[in-house]
Amino acid sequence: MEETIEGYVDHIIFRNEDNGYTVMVVIAEEEELTCVGSFQYLSEGETIKAYGHYTEHPSYGRQFSVTSYETVVPQDSMAMERYLGSGAIKGIGAALAARIVRRFKDDTLRIVEEEPERLAEIKGISEKKAREIAAQVSEKADMRKAMMFLQQYGISLSLGAKIFNQYGQEMYGILRENPYKMAEDIDGVGFKMADEIAARIGIHTDSDYRIRSGLLYILLQATAEGHVFLPQRILLERASALLGVAAPYMEKHIMDLAIDRKIVMKETPLSEGVQPEPVIYASQYYQLELHVAQMLKELALEDTVDEARMETQLARLEKNGNVQLDEKQRQAVVEAVKNGLLVITGGPGTGKTTTINAIIRYYELEGLDICLAAPTGRAAKRMTETTGYEARTIHRLLELSGMPDDSSASIHFERNAQNPLEADVVIIDEMSMVDIFLMHALLLAITPGTRLILVGDVNQLPSVGPGSVLKDIIRSGKFPVVELVKIFRQASQSDIVVNAHKINRGVPVVLDNKSMDFFFLKRYDANVIISVVITLIQKKLPKFVDATPYDIQVLTPMRKGLLGVERLNGILQQYLNPPSPEKKEKEHGNGLFREGDKVMQIKNNYQTEWEVRGKYGIPVEKGVGVFNGDTGILREINTFAETLTVEFDEGRFVEYAFKQLDELELAYAITIHKSQGSEYPAVVIPLLGGPRMLMNRNLLYTAVTRARKCVTLVGDENTFWEMEKNQMEQSRYTTLDLRIKESF
């Protein structure tokens, strides 16, 4: 049963400024009481009425856990003196508060709110200071009033603060007329939340604001599936289902949005040989494709090359660098020398690394400055190991500098059109992972005249973000592309490489377990499969591939289901990092985090700070940005400060507030999509059926190519054959190839 207490805040013991979580002492009826809860705008000396219940903390004893509260206007001169003297109002200390209250007694509150100029009657308060005090009191009163107003619509204190800071007193008008504006302006308010608030306020389902906001929301949601636009018929179909409004009624709103330049309408054929149909882009995505196409064209200038000098340098390279290039690899080096932009593509074992190394050595002979980068930390690390040159993530290459707080503004890179990269040659690996946003940011920082070489495997899964950048660049037919197809002798001894190519071509793979690095263990029951997976990770594979159980990665096609990420992680955690009195735990959602867990960041956070620690834990390097797919080990859970510390690759330590835990999940098992760009000593892939659209050749190929020394599939061989045969890929609605053709 909910209980109520009333008293004044004597002192604050601890406050987390990010989420308002506060531990404080309240004096209620002469008794000191420890209260805990979220109090975004509360100062010492204020009187509150709090609702909640008593709890018993193992270390700190009896506490009052606050679920909601309201501030109470100081009723008497004593309460007023306490409030003013608490430091809540800048410029007033205890002595000055006592003088004010001595002068105005029980009328103090009215004087401060209605006749603040009279405060200047007190010795030590100028007219200017009196005005400042009045402004602060009024601002605090406005903030409180706003919080109370927002709470009746179910809006939390921290979100309420964002809304009030964004709009101030205009907030009331916006909420009553068009709460959907918040979905555009405020990070953390999506269409669904704005729609709930609108329903509580009583806004009609066919309101113009609601329909327009709903249409934009659906276009934005489509980008999460990788689309840059939607055909108009699909947009109206989805909007009708979401909003409960008939499609014909929404067509005029599409025209209005186009007139307001919020969207772009085009007639586009969705595949070869079909009639063009109306398609709709959110404006920024149309502009992204357009701009990327123009910048690619500017880079793609052909160079006049001294052929004799080039041949001499190539001969020197092959002789002195001990490099043996086949015909295609040699062609790639020649094209790299002749062109401003080159695409090199090929599967595993086809010599992409040898080719990149040859291109680097050639440019070294020419005395040029070279930059290497890849989309993820793991891919960059691998590039460094295989080339001997320092490679960075694209984000670090472009010098990411965190996003402005509480803003949905795009992320900011220090390297851009005004401050371009100082390099003659830029080589990007794992290009299939680069989405339209990152490509745009990269091209902004590259001046025409700089050579850009894009390397990737076009048969891998596409980027997590919107676009099919690598595919579209190749599909446009406007830039030189060298496809490496020959599997080299050393790689041809690996069944991982040979079978990956067979999967890609749809040639049946032999599953007889006579291989040294490619195994298929036939099991047909989900629980038996899991038990085999645990045995492999704990006992069999670590010795076989000379790695720890944590280095071996379970890759599964799905999140849900008997062999989905969510179930597997709960079970694997129990075996690989069992409970222990020495390990602290934190429950979150339906599961829990435990010290020592393997975890993964599941969204890009451009503001999170990291530090590399030297001896005695002293920071030796700092930076910002933790990205979707980064994995690490949970080193510490601090229940008092409500934080959790994770050590990511390259010794980067990141501290998470408990309220940020939605950004993390266990990573003993991850989806194949999340493994892109990473490589592991061994991978274990449980397979037992799933949705046909997902269980395709492309997914199987990506999973197998993540392993360096050993692939073990556990499950039903029929699922394997089905996946190998299934060429259905979820097609993405992108038109970068068309924009490139137009730019030429």
Side-chain angles (χ1 to χ4, degrees):
M1 197 183 86
E2 196 166 70
E3 299 188 61
T4 310
I5 62 159
E6 189 171 329
Y8 68 89
V9 180
D10 185 64
H11 62 279
I12 289 171
I13 298 169
F14 168 79
R15 167 174 278 161
N16 181 329
E17 292 301 338
D18 289 337
N19 58 13
Y21 176 80
T22 306
V23 180
M24 62 188 182
V25 172
V26 171
I27 308 287
E29 296 173 3
E30 305 298 312
E31 183 196 357
E32 278 197 11
L33 196 55
T34 304
C35 292
V36 293
S38 188
F39 307 91
Q40 202 81 26
Y41 296 93
L42 201 57
S43 313
E44 292 176 352
E46 290 195 58
T47 304
I48 63 164
K49 187 183 250 183
Y51 308 91
H53 53 272
Y54 287 97
T55 60
E56 197 66 39
H57 190 282
S59 311
Y60 307 113
R62 186 167 178 255
Q63 296 183 338
F64 190 73
S65 177
V66 179
T67 47
S68 64
Y69 76 99
E70 56 195 79
T71 51
V72 178
V73 175
Q75 296 298 324
D76 54 30
S77 55
M78 215 167 105
M80 193 64 204
E81 185 177 333
R82 246 194 332 261
Y83 172 57
L84 288 176
S86 68
I89 308 292
K90 284 194 189 92
I92 299 186
L96 196 50
R99 290 214 295 276
I100 294 169
V101 173
R102 227 179 8 251
R103 174 71 193 257
F104 299 117
K105 305 199 168 51
D106 287 356
D107 205 22
T108 304
L109 181 66
R110 190 194 64 76
I111 296 284
V112 170
E113 287 186 341
E114 294 171 22
E115 301 179 69
E117 65 282 355
R118 285 191 58 195
L119 292 172
E121 295 171 18
I122 309 290
K123 192 177 174 215
I125 299 182
S126 64
E127 280 184 29
K128 183 181 174 211
K129 191 168 183 179
R131 281 196 300 274
E132 282 172 7
I133 291 167
Q136 281 188 65
V137 170
S138 138
E139 193 185 315
K140 282 182 179 274
D142 288 347
M143 171 66 91
R144 281 200 201 91
K145 192 174 136 207
M147 291 299 151
M148 298 306 162
F149 176 78
L150 292 169
Q151 273 184 319
Q152 64 186 339
Y153 297 117
I155 295 169
S156 71
L157 289 168
S158 56
L159 183 57
K162 279 187 183 179
I163 294 169
F164 184 78
N165 291 337
Q166 176 83 23
Y167 300 125
Q169 292 299 318
E170 287 171 24
M171 174 193 91
Y172 302 99
I174 287 166
L175 275 167
R176 288 193 184 103
E177 286 168 35
N178 177 19
Y180 298 99
K181 186 168 168 36
M182 295 191 299
E184 292 175 40
D185 297 342
I186 297 171
D187 199 24
V189 179
F191 171 80
K192 295 236 162 122
M193 185 183 283
D195 204 29
E196 276 177 32
I197 294 166
R200 288 193 194 114
I201 288 170
I203 286 171
H204 291 297
T205 51
D206 60 355
S207 134
D208 290 359
Y209 291 129
R210 180 170 187 261
I211 290 169
R212 291 176 59 160
S213 183
L215 288 164
L216 289 171
Y217 167 75
I218 285 161
L219 285 175
L220 199 66
Q221 288 298 99
T223 63
E225 298 167 42
H227 304 309
V228 173
F229 67 86
L230 281 179
Q232 183 171 315
R233 61 188 161 77
I234 292 178
L235 172 63
L236 288 173
E237 214 173 87
R238 290 185 180 188
S240 188
L242 175 77
L243 303 170
V245 176
Y249 183 77
M250 291 188 280
E251 285 183 18
K252 78 177 183 73
H253 292 286
I254 287 181
M255 291 309 297
D256 291 345
L257 284 166
I259 291 162
D260 284 353
R261 300 191 174 179
K262 292 274 171 73
I263 63 168
V264 172
M265 300 173 71
K266 284 274 179 187
E267 292 273 333
T268 300
L270 294 180
S271 55
E272 279 182 39
V274 300
Q275 285 297 312
E277 62 173 292
V279 305
I280 313 290
Y281 300 78
S283 288
Q284 75 178 112
Y285 289 91
Y286 179 76
Q287 295 300 333
L288 277 172
E289 281 199 340
L290 199 62
H291 203 189
V292 165
Q294 286 163 349
M295 291 191 287
L296 284 168
K297 184 198 170 191
E298 284 165 16
L299 284 179
L301 302 169
E302 220 175 297
D303 240 4
T304 46
V305 171
D306 180 338
E307 299 272 346
R309 177 182 166 81
M310 181 177 72
E311 286 302 326
T312 309
Q313 294 286 53
L314 273 169
R316 255 179 84 189
L317 182 74
E318 292 189 298
K319 188 178 169 202
N320 301 343
N322 274 337
V323 182
Q324 286 297 306
L325 299 176
D326 79 340
E327 192 186 334
K328 278 282 188 190
Q329 292 173 315
R330 191 180 168 89
Q331 183 199 342
V333 180
V334 170
E335 294 288 355
V337 175
K338 287 184 172 178
N339 293 281
L341 178 67
L342 170 67
V343 177
I344 300 171
T345 178
T350 54
K352 292 196 296 290
T353 299
T354 305
T355 310
I356 294 173
N357 282 334
I359 291 169
I360 291 171
R361 304 293 173 259
Y362 185 97
Y363 283 133
E364 270 188 325
L365 291 174
E366 294 289 311
L368 300 184
D369 280 337
I370 305 156
C371 271
L372 306 187
T376 64
R378 287 189 165 225
K381 192 174 170 190
R382 208 166 77 229
M383 201 179 183
T384 302
E385 286 162 3
T386 54
T387 61
Y389 248 78
E390 193 211 349
R392 285 169 284 179
T393 63
I394 299 173
H395 288 92
R396 286 185 83 176
L397 177 75
L398 299 178
E399 295 171 23
L400 174 75
S401 67
M403 258 175 10
D405 273 351
D406 296 341
S407 148
S408 48
S410 56
I411 59 174
H412 179 70
F413 291 108
E414 293 296 332
R415 293 289 179 179
N416 48 38
Q418 286 70 48
N419 180 28
L421 291 166
E422 289 153 21
D424 303 308
V425 184
V426 176
I427 303 176
I428 306 292
D429 198 7
E430 292 286 359
M431 255 311 290
S432 61
M433 296 180 68
V434 175
D435 64 21
I436 194 77
F437 283 115
L438 196 52
M439 191 64 185
H440 185 259
L442 176 69
L443 292 172
L444 280 176
I446 297 177
T447 46
T450 304
R451 295 165 188 283
L452 178 61
I453 296 160
L454 307 175
V455 186
D457 182 347
V458 83
N459 296 305
Q460 296 276 11
L461 290 167
S463 57
V464 175
S468 305
V469 175
L470 182 64
K471 266 190 183 149
D472 280 354
I473 290 173
I474 295 170
R475 208 182 290 151
S476 73
K478 295 293 179 188
F479 307 110
V481 176
V482 177
E483 187 180 0
L484 304 174
V485 286
K486 178 184 167 189
I487 302 177
F488 284 85
R489 190 177 63 82
Q490 193 180 350
S492 69
Q493 291 164 0
S494 158
D495 287 321
I496 296 174
V497 171
V498 173
N499 289 340
H501 284 274
K502 283 183 175 176
I503 290 166
N504 194 31
R505 296 198 307 273
V507 175
V509 173
V510 179
L511 302 178
D512 60 3
N513 288 340
K514 289 182 180 168
S515 162
M516 285 303 293
D517 59 6
F518 192 98
F519 306 99
F520 198 108
L521 309 180
K522 296 173 187 178
R523 305 286 188 277
Y524 306 98
D525 172 88
N527 292 333
V528 174
I529 290 171
I530 292 171
S531 150
V532 170
V533 167
I534 290 164
T535 306
L536 285 167
I537 297 173
Q538 281 190 313
K539 298 179 182 156
K540 301 282 170 67
L541 287 171
K543 279 191 228 126
F544 187 67
V545 295
D546 187 25
T548 71
Y550 272 47
D551 295 326
I552 295 158
Q553 190 60 56
V554 178
L555 301 180
T556 177
M558 291 166 297
R559 288 197 61 78
K560 306 278 182 197
L562 293 173
L563 293 175
V565 164
E566 292 171 12
R567 180 166 187 248
L568 281 173
N569 270 323
I571 296 169
L572 291 170
Q573 181 190 41
Q574 288 296 91
Y575 285 90
L576 300 176
N577 186 29
S580 139
E582 282 82 60
K583 293 177 183 173
K584 287 194 195 130
E585 295 179 354
K586 165 67 183 153
E587 283 190 28
H588 182 70
N590 297 326
L592 62 82
F593 291 111
R594 182 177 293 130
E595 287 176 340
D597 272 338
K598 183 174 173 181
V599 294
M600 173 184 269
Q601 172 82 10
I602 54 168
K603 61 180 267 199
N604 288 339
N605 187 327
Y606 302 99
Q607 290 161 281
T608 292
E609 295 177 358
W610 52 261
E611 58 185 36
V612 175
R613 297 175 182 173
K615 210 172 175 187
Y616 310 117
I618 295 162
V620 291
E621 187 189 346
K622 290 188 175 192
V624 290
V626 189
F627 304 109
N628 191 347
D630 286 357
T631 52
I633 304 292
L634 199 170
R635 295 294 182 201
E636 186 193 4
I637 294 173
N638 184 332
T639 44
F640 183 70
E642 301 217 316
T643 58
L644 182 150
T645 305
V646 177
E647 182 182 358
F648 286 102
D649 288 346
E650 297 157 1
R652 291 174 304 139
F653 284 84
V654 174
E655 205 168 84
Y656 291 84
F658 280 0
K659 67 162 188 174
Q660 288 176 287
L661 293 189
D662 286 342
E663 294 185 16
L664 284 177
E665 67 181 24
L666 294 176
Y668 299 103
I670 63 173
T671 61
I672 295 166
H673 278 89
K674 288 272 195 228
S675 71
Q676 267 179 282
S678 295
E679 197 180 63
Y680 309 96
V683 300
V684 180
I685 307 164
L687 281 185
L688 198 66
R692 182 163 163 72
M693 196 67 200
L694 179 68
M695 307 291 278
N696 58 29
R697 178 185 294 180
N698 191 251
L699 195 76
L700 188 58
Y701 174 76
T702 301
V704 167
T705 53
R706 298 305 90 209
R708 199 161 48 239
K709 296 179 180 173
C710 177
V711 170
T712 311
L713 296 110
V714 188
D716 186 341
E717 71 275 25
N718 293 313
T719 303
F720 182 91
W721 305 131
E722 287 297 318
M723 284 180 83
E724 198 184 11
K725 275 190 250 157
N726 180 12
Q727 282 183 272
M728 275 170 60
E729 267 181 66
Q730 199 169 2
S731 57
R732 291 188 165 200
Y733 295 121
T734 67
T735 40
L736 179 61
D737 54 334
L738 296 183
R739 301 289 89 87
I740 290 170
K741 286 174 186 167
E742 286 168 8
S743 74
F744 278 85

